[in-house]
């Protein structure tokens, strides 16, 4: 949760920079058109993927699932810990994209190919490569955590706690995790293929 909130503060600062440009056009020399696209892209990726997914599923999931289903801990605590450290690595890799020569990618948070890797797109050199590596690491971390959540909900409920007696918070995390486990592998394959391109 703390890691997600910390990276979320970076996204918050990026949104302030975008609003400065919108409120006072061309008044700040450090907000160029290319930089604006980069701020939008990084803000979107940080808020949607690295903050919301990690905070609501990772942070709340780790805290609420054992508490609400009556288990001592997650079923795979080692994989849980490994999931966090891979997530932290993905956040650090994402932050490093601010320091590559062209800066972070400015292709929009959807990273549509081939525009994301075309010449003329801000950060089409090192920025998009670092973003795709970070995204791949994040998906690996989410998959480890997600399998842990699903297994814990299905196998570690206390005596008498049927699926229909589970709290709605656990159901929400459970269903969102299943949807993520269905969607993220395709995104991982797409990220790896675009990385190879």
């Amino acid at each position: 949760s703390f890691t997600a909130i910390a990276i979320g503060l970076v996204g918050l600062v990026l949104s302030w920079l975008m609003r400065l440009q919108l409120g006072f056009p061309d008044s700040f020399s450090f907000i160029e058109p290319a930089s604006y696209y980069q701020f939008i892209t990084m803000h979107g990726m940080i808020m949607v993927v690295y903050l919301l997914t990690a905070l609501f599923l990772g942070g709340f999931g780790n805290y609420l699932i054992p508490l609400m289903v009556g288990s001592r801990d997650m079923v795979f605590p080692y994989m849980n810990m490994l999931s966090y450290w891979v997530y932290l690595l993905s956040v650090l890799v994402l932050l490093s994209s601010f320091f590559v020569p062209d800066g972070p990618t400015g292709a929009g948070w959807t990273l549509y190919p081939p525009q994301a890797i075309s010449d003329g797109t801000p950060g089409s050199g090192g920025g998009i490569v670092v973003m795709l590596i970070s995204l791949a690491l994040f998906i690996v971390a989410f998959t480890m955590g997600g399998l842990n959540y699903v297994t814990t909900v299905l196998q570690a409920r206390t005596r008498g706690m049927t699926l229909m007696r589970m709290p709605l918070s656990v159901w929400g995390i459970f269903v969102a995790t299943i949807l993520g486990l269905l969607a993220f592998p395709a995104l991982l394959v797409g990220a790896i293929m675009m990385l190879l391109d």
Side-chain angles (χ1 to χ4, degrees), residues 88-99:
L88 179 63
L89 178 63
S90 76
V91 167
L92 295 175
V93 171
L94 178 78
L95 288 175
S96 72
S97 70
F98 284 103
F99 304 103

Side-chain angles (χ1 to χ4, degrees), residues 2 10 20 44 51 53 71 89 98-99 112 120 122 124 126 132-134 137-138 154 160 168 170 174 183 187 189 196:
F2 288 124
V10 174
L20 277 177
L51 170 69
T53 305
S71 66
L89 178 63
F98 284 103
F99 304 103
Y112 286 136
S124 62
L132 292 171
I133 292 170
S134 173
L137 287 169
F138 177 84
L154 293 179
L168 282 177
V170 178
F174 180 63
L187 185 61
V189 171
L196 294 175

Side-chain angles (χ1 to χ4, degrees), residues 20-38:
L20 277 177
Q21 173 64 19
L22 292 173
F24 310 98
D26 300 325
S27 298
F28 301 95
S29 60
F30 60 91
I31 307 177
E32 301 168 356
S35 302
Y36 187 79
Y37 286 133
Q38 291 170 325

Side-chain angles (χ1 to χ4, degrees), residues 57-103:
L57 293 181
F60 289 132
N62 273 306
Y63 181 68
L64 293 178
I65 288 175
L67 192 67
M68 291 186 158
V69 301
S71 66
R72 287 182 156 200
D73 193 3
M74 292 300 215
V75 173
F76 306 117
Y78 180 81
M79 191 164 69
N80 214 21
M81 180 264 313
L82 190 61
S83 167
Y84 168 72
W85 288 111
V86 175
Y87 165 66
L88 179 63
L89 178 63
S90 76
V91 167
L92 295 175
V93 171
L94 178 78
L95 288 175
S96 72
S97 70
F98 284 103
F99 304 103
V100 297
D102 290 338

Side-chain angles (χ1 to χ4, degrees), residues 89-191:
L89 178 63
S90 76
V91 167
L92 295 175
V93 171
L94 178 78
L95 288 175
S96 72
S97 70
F98 284 103
F99 304 103
V100 297
D102 290 338
T105 181
W109 72 271
T110 50
L111 304 178
Y112 286 136
Q115 186 252 332
I117 56 175
S118 299
D119 291 336
T121 301
S124 62
I128 187 66
V129 169
V130 174
M131 169 66 80
L132 292 171
I133 292 170
S134 173
L135 193 59
L137 287 169
F138 177 84
I139 293 169
V140 168
F142 175 84
T143 303
M144 286 191 287
L147 290 172
N148 206 355
Y149 301 160
V150 170
T151 308
T152 302
V153 168
L154 293 179
Q155 297 293 325
R157 296 188 312 274
T158 191
R159 184 188 302 270
M161 165 98 42
T162 63
L163 285 175
M164 289 300 122
R165 289 183 178 172
M166 274 194 328
L168 282 177
S169 301
V170 178
W171 264 110
I173 294 169
F174 180 63
V175 171
T177 301
I178 290 174
L179 292 175
L181 288 172
L182 292 173
F184 276 163
L187 185 61
L188 174 65
V189 171

